[in-house]
Amino acid sequence: QVQLVESGGGLVQAGGSLRLSCVVSGGAFSRYTMGWFRQAPGEEREFVASINWSNSATYYQDAVKGRFTVSRDNAKNTLYLQMDSLSPRDTAVYYCAAREDPTAWKYWGQGTQVTVSS
């Protein structure tokens, strides 16, 4: 059974930074494309960033480009999201996800809350 557990969320002031982590167990982490998503209150879940299995390709939502950095450590089965220059618009529950099939994100974590105060 594949499990994804996020951590690192919290309350931060605008302009601050947070680093989210997602530990994956029970699966072949090094084979997965990994992603971060977020969902703000009253809104649909949206894509934030993704990284391929070999760390050679990353993708970002336009709103976070230049502020967020996605990375992974395959030896530690861990995905990261470094978030800098945070703004209140980044307030959301952040989820990590994993996929092998390029058409569907198969595994999801339970989410971690990020709140940015103005």
Side-chain angles (χ1 to χ4, degrees), residues 79-94:
L79 173 73
Y80 303 101
L81 185 68
Q82 177 66 42
M83 305 186 295
D84 299 317
S85 302
L86 285 162
S87 79
R89 292 171 298 176
D90 297 314
T91 294
V93 177
Y94 283 71

Side-chain angles (χ1 to χ4, degrees), residues 53-109:
W53 67 274
S54 64
N55 267 315
S56 62
T58 57
Y59 301 93
Y60 297 92
Q61 180 198 111
D62 285 348
V64 308
K65 284 180 181 177
R67 301 188 298 120
F68 290 10
T69 303
V70 61
S71 62
R72 65 191 294 165
D73 185 336
N74 286 345
K76 295 182 178 179
N77 286 3
T78 302
L79 173 73
Y80 303 101
L81 185 68
Q82 177 66 42
M83 305 186 295
D84 299 317
S85 302
L86 285 162
S87 79
R89 292 171 298 176
D90 297 314
T91 294
V93 177
Y94 283 71
Y95 300 88
C96 66
R99 71 182 191 199
E100 291 179 287
D101 181 341
T103 64
W105 293 94
K106 185 174 182 180
Y107 305 110
W108 291 85

